[in-house]
Amino acid sequence: MTRRCEVSWFSALCDDDYEFLGVPDPKLMSSWEHCRDIVLQAESGGFDNILLPSGYALGIDTTAFAAAIATMVRRIRLLMAVRIGESWPPQLARQIATIDRILGGRLTVNIISSDLPGETLASAPRYARTLEAMQILRTMLDGEPLDHQGEFWNLKLDPPAVTTVSGKCPPLYFGGLSPDAREAAAQGCDVYLMWPDKKEVVREIMDDMTARAARHGRTLKFGYRAHVVVRDTEAEARAAADRLLSKLDAAQGEAIRNKSLDTNSAGVAAQVALRENATDGGYAEEHLWTGVGRARSGCGAAIVGDPDQVLAKLRMYQDMGIEAFILSGYPHAAEADLFARHVLPNMQHGPLTLD
């Protein structure tokens, strides 16, 4: 029997919303109003959570947006992305606790290990810094005094005066494919996120991460981040996917990909390889289309098909052990409505809980 999963949508805070990929549309650019409307659409559609991404040089500020939108939603969770290195961890702990209070205890956190503009750290120290930050956040948000002597921070502090509603650290979602990223995830996060790949590769990654976490006496939950194109028929879905690319200029697509700070990451390299090895008009395997990656960095593939085909694909991932999905589509509000009407009612879903 298929288990319940968390189904999240995505709000385009990082200038990543289009009708035609690579063709900017002033009405779809990141703004408070546009991104607010995507969140409200996702809540009314019944999604459990929504990712608020963070791009240091792109779009609008995630933490400020999360605090504002938290006053407007009543049921949906927020998955707030934070870039380690931008904030002093004790300050970030206060921000997380405060926003969780505003939200009524429904905040989750997506940890991003990223260079900042003008700063470059090698993989090992960058992920070591990220792990330290996760350990600091977990200690402080669990309400415990902090005595941390590390490579990047030396801190001895009382816990924040403002606690989360639960008194515990919110679930930490995190992803990365390099060996350093995998070790940081195995030791520090709660939910390990993966970008699309062939099912045998997804299974290999999950097996590896399960073993890595076990070596540290831990267990992980698994999440899957993908785009989606759902229409009444498979032919219509494929036509909608092709339409997304119908006005793409190759040079513009490359420029969009290169704007992201994670362009050279192992995860992005894997998405490029998936796209380059795809056949059948960009399909890496049945219903997994890689064309999205021609005009964006990061998650570069979409599940494409009719409602039953999309549902079957998601259930296949659930059977492999995926318990959280973060989905998106173009334009984001319109595709959220389509998925919410045609697929979501047939899924057993709800907010992810940690054992």
Side-chain angles (χ1 to χ4, degrees):
M1 182 176 179
T2 302
R3 295 174 293 180
R4 191 177 79 159
C5 60
E6 178 179 82
V7 183
S8 304
W9 199 248
F10 174 97
S11 185
L13 273 66
C14 300
D15 294 333
D16 182 44
D17 203 3
Y18 301 93
E19 180 179 0
F20 300 97
L21 287 174
V23 181
D25 183 336
K27 293 183 179 180
L28 299 179
M29 295 296 290
S30 293
S31 67
W32 157 249
E33 293 82 6
H34 180 57
C35 296
R36 172 202 64 197
D37 291 349
I38 296 172
V39 174
L40 297 180
Q41 175 71 54
E43 178 166 63
S44 67
F47 289 91
D48 305 306
N49 203 341
I50 185 160
L51 174 60
L52 309 179
S54 175
Y56 182 86
L58 301 170
I60 59 179
D61 182 75
T62 306
T63 306
F65 179 89
I69 200 69
T71 66
M72 303 183 68
V73 293
R74 296 292 175 265
R75 181 195 57 79
I76 198 168
R77 286 182 167 191
L78 301 181
L79 178 54
M80 182 178 75
V82 297
R83 289 185 174 273
I84 300 306
E86 280 190 33
S87 299
W88 187 52
Q91 176 193 30
L92 181 57
R94 293 198 304 272
Q95 291 171 334
I96 290 170
T98 301
I99 294 172
D100 184 75
R101 284 279 170 179
I102 297 169
L103 194 59
R106 302 193 309 278
L107 186 67
T108 55
V109 179
N110 178 201
I111 298 290
I112 299 175
S113 180
S114 173
D115 286 328
L116 303 182
E119 173 201 88
T120 301
L121 279 180
S123 176
R126 179 162 52 82
Y127 282 107
R129 180 178 67 181
T130 300
L131 178 58
E132 278 193 36
M134 286 192 282
Q135 292 168 337
I136 291 168
L137 290 175
R138 192 178 300 280
T139 298
M140 299 194 79
L141 291 168
D142 279 347
E144 300 172 3
L146 179 70
D147 188 354
H148 178 88
Q149 307 301 313
E151 181 182 355
F152 296 91
W153 293 284
N154 293 304
L155 300 167
K156 192 167 185 177
L157 298 168
D158 292 331
V162 175
T163 65
T164 62
V165 170
S166 68
K168 295 293 184 180
C169 181
L172 301 180
Y173 295 58
F174 177 83
L177 275 185
S178 71
D180 296 319
R182 295 186 190 208
E183 275 303 301
Q187 296 179 62
C189 77
D190 301 298
V191 184
Y192 180 75
L193 294 176
M194 290 172 285
W195 285 337
D197 214 317
K198 294 182 177 182
K199 57 187 178 183
E200 58 268 22
V201 176
V202 173
R203 186 175 289 109
E204 289 171 2
I205 295 170
M206 294 175 68
D207 289 344
D208 177 65
M209 290 306 304
T210 298
R212 287 177 186 264
R215 288 197 288 270
H216 298 285
R218 306 185 71 242
T219 59
L220 296 172
K221 293 185 178 292
F222 292 97
Y224 193 81
R225 165 87 180 97
H227 306 285
V228 64
V229 181
V230 60
R231 297 293 185 273
D232 286 339
T233 68
E234 181 179 6
E236 289 173 325
R238 282 185 169 236
D242 291 339
R243 183 178 183 272
L244 282 174
L245 293 180
S246 63
K247 298 184 180 181
L248 178 66
D249 175 82
Q252 177 66 11
E254 183 177 5
I256 292 169
R257 295 195 303 269
N258 290 337
K259 283 196 298 185
S260 175
L261 292 177
D262 64 359
T263 303
N264 297 316
S265 74
V268 169
Q271 294 294 283
V272 171
L274 184 71
R275 183 172 70 252
E276 291 180 344
N277 292 321
T279 58
D280 183 29
Y283 284 80
E285 66 180 13
E286 191 174 29
H287 305 302
L288 187 64
W289 178 65
T290 63
V292 175
R294 290 176 57 189
R296 77 185 309 275
S297 184
C299 176
I303 300 169
V304 177
D306 66 32
D308 290 338
Q309 291 167 335
V310 171
L311 181 62
K313 191 78 167 176
L314 295 173
R315 285 179 171 167
M316 179 201 74
Y317 293 128
Q318 282 186 268
D319 291 342
M320 292 169 62
I322 301 292
E323 296 185 62
F325 295 101
I326 303 173
L327 305 173
S328 58
Y330 296 98
H332 290 299
E335 202 69 42
D337 175 63
L338 287 166
F339 187 91
R341 288 189 291 115
H342 296 296
V343 182
L344 192 59
N346 296 312
M347 300 183 72
Q348 295 182 9
H349 66 97
L352 187 68
T353 58
L354 302 180
D355 297 331

